[in-house]
Amino acid sequence: MSAPLTAVVLGAGDMGARHARHWAAVGARVLAVVDPDMDRARAAAAETGATALAEADEALALGPDVVSVCTPTYLHARLTIAAFAAGAHVLCEKPIALTLGDARAMEAAAAAGRELRIGFMRRFDPAFPQLIEVAARVGRPLLAQATITAGIRPKRLMHDALANGGPIIDMCCHLFHLWGTVFESQPDEVAARGYTFSDGKPEVAHIRHRALDSALITLAYPNGSVGQVQVSWGLPSGVDPVERHTYVGPDGLVTVDWPGRITLRDGEGETRWTNPGDDPYRGQIAQFHAELTQGATRAVASVQDGIDTLRTSLAVLRSVATRGPVALADVTEDRDDDPAFAGLGDLDAPDAGAGPLLEAMP
Ligand SMILES: NC(=O)c1ccc[n+]([C@@H]2O[C@H](COP(=O)([O-])OP(=O)(O)OC[C@H]3O[C@@H](n4cnc5c(N)ncnc54)[C@H](O)[C@@H]3O)[C@@H](O)[C@H]2O)c1
């Protein structure tokens, strides 16, 4: 029997603890879980028999086959590049990064024969293929709408433009990735209005570079289809997350309560689908494990998927800043050069502060 794949997990928050658990469950040996918050590192390591460490370098020196990057987004590039320097494959959580420059540096650092994949785990949610199949049945052009809302996020880094980038980067990347498949293309133009509903709310008052928390976004696709997104993480704290979509085409209507229920209404009547509830995070890691150990066909999201979604998010932010439509083809620059980010300063210096930034999700 061949030796098990060895893994290191960087970041032991919600995502890191999941990655560690799932790597162990699919038969990998988790060598180390790293977090400067050693209580977190110890808790995630204890579940998997791994060593808890505070420094990534120490863990990468163990020579893992694969590294999961599960830190706040502004650290993804730095840690992915370090993991490649140590000779590992990388599964990096979504979104890939906050800037196209960082994303491209990550891509360039992947040595020959090393994989960089992005954690768009929704691909492994049974709702993902089901929605694609059902949306194909209502014809084209497709007119889509999505509403994604929640109260102010308890993890304050999610509201920091310099840390996780706010919902237009951090949350909409999931939808943009799904829609890339539903619409079979990337949008060629976006137009958006952005808002900070959290203005004046004490939970986020300490964040100097608060990200936009709300937007209405229109995405035009090259085949004539259109998607519209209403997104907010600026509702009062404690308001539960909601995600609903509708897809209208010449042959019918699809309504979605993501990820639980999908309903198709067409000439045949009404067809309802309920999610069996498979864990997409586990499915994603099982798939990557099979790709690395058995040469399974690639199915975990690619670095290009990460770049495509980030480019769309940056186009949205630019559209908000310029109050006009933005062609995706024009979004080629790092955000340092983008008017949407003028004056935001050093991307490596989020207002991390103490305490509340590290609070767990409810
Ligand atoms: N796939 C999804 O649906 C999904 C869901 C939530 C978050 N995410 C993404 O996953 C990433 C992590 O999010 P989270 O919710 O787990 O955040 P989290 O705050 O729960 O955990 C992040 C952890 O990283 C640690 N950390 C900070 N600097 C570090 C370093 N240099 N080395 C190692 N660890 C370090 C922090 O102490 C913290 O414990 C983010 O990029 C986020 O956007 C993805």
Side-chain angles (χ1 to χ4, degrees):
M1 212 176 80
S2 58
L5 194 80
T6 56
V8 154
V9 177
L10 303 180
D14 288 319
M15 290 302 112
R18 280 179 203 257
H19 280 237
R21 194 178 310 131
H22 294 318
W23 279 120
V26 301
R29 191 154 65 86
V30 184
L31 301 177
V33 180
V34 179
D35 203 301
D37 179 334
M38 279 301 284
D39 287 342
R40 286 182 165 200
R42 274 191 283 269
E47 271 195 69
T48 59
T51 303
L53 295 171
E55 290 291 337
D57 288 350
E58 221 182 316
L60 296 176
L62 300 172
D65 297 312
V66 62
V67 171
S68 277
V69 176
C70 302
T71 61
T73 303
Y74 77 100
L75 294 170
H76 286 182
R78 187 187 308 170
L79 293 171
T80 294
I81 291 166
F84 282 133
H89 302 286
V90 174
L91 174 58
C92 177
E93 263 303 337
K94 55 49 60 183
I96 183 169
L98 299 178
T99 70
L100 289 175
D102 268 3
R104 290 195 189 107
M106 293 161 76
E107 183 179 31
R114 300 292 99 180
E115 298 286 346
L116 171 56
R117 305 299 185 80
I118 310 302
F120 288 114
M121 86 303 166
R122 286 187 175 199
R123 291 161 82 103
F124 302 93
D125 193 307
F128 193 100
Q130 180 65 23
L131 173 57
I132 289 158
E133 194 259 306
V134 170
R137 286 158 61 180
V138 300
R140 295 294 182 270
L142 190 61
L143 312 179
Q145 281 189 323
T147 296
I148 302 175
T149 55
I152 291 175
R153 302 290 64 214
K155 280 189 231 175
R156 307 299 180 227
L157 284 179
M158 294 166 79
H159 286 274
D160 193 322
L162 306 187
N164 283 10
I168 292 169
I169 290 178
D170 198 8
M171 183 70 216
C172 289
C173 65
H174 277 305
L175 186 74
F176 297 159
H177 181 59
L178 171 70
W179 280 7
T181 311
V182 169
F183 292 109
E184 298 171 310
S185 60
Q186 296 303 313
D188 51 13
E189 188 177 274
V190 307
R193 290 284 186 270
Y195 307 85
T196 39
F197 287 180
S198 55
D199 275 348
K201 295 185 179 166
E203 301 95 311
V204 290
H206 65 292
I207 300 176
R208 203 159 21 122
H209 299 307
R210 208 148 30 90
L212 293 174
D213 59 39
S214 307
L216 185 68
I217 305 164
T218 304
L219 304 112
Y221 288 82
N223 59 7
S225 294
V226 180
Q228 200 168 53
V229 189
Q230 201 181 29
V231 61
S232 181
W233 278 352
L235 305 185
S237 289
V239 173
D240 285 339
V242 164
E243 182 167 342
R244 296 203 176 102
H245 312 182
T246 55
Y247 299 84
V248 180
D251 300 325
L253 162 72
V254 180
T255 51
V256 180
D257 252 320
W258 185 270
R261 273 188 306 279
I262 299 176
T263 304
L264 168 68
R265 294 177 180 84
D266 62 7
E268 309 289 307
E270 188 171 296
T271 313
R272 289 189 195 170
W273 176 88
T274 303
N275 197 325
D278 305 352
D279 181 341
Y281 296 96
R282 164 124 186 200
Q284 173 172 257
I285 284 182
Q287 170 65 27
F288 199 28
H289 185 262
E291 292 180 28
L292 294 177
T293 58
Q294 298 154 33
T297 306
R298 293 162 68 99
V300 178
S302 68
V303 62
Q304 191 59 48
D305 294 318
I307 290 173
D308 286 343
T309 53
L310 177 61
R311 180 179 283 116
T312 303
S313 295
L314 295 177
V316 170
L317 292 171
R318 185 181 291 186
S319 175
V320 170
T322 58
R323 300 184 72 80
V326 170
L328 269 285
D330 292 341
V331 182
T332 54
E333 299 302 322
D334 285 351
R335 78 185 219 174
D336 289 345
D337 303 321
D338 193 303
F341 298 99
L344 282 192
D346 180 0
L347 279 174
D348 284 340
D351 293 326
L357 296 171
L358 298 178
E359 279 170 16
M361 296 289 281

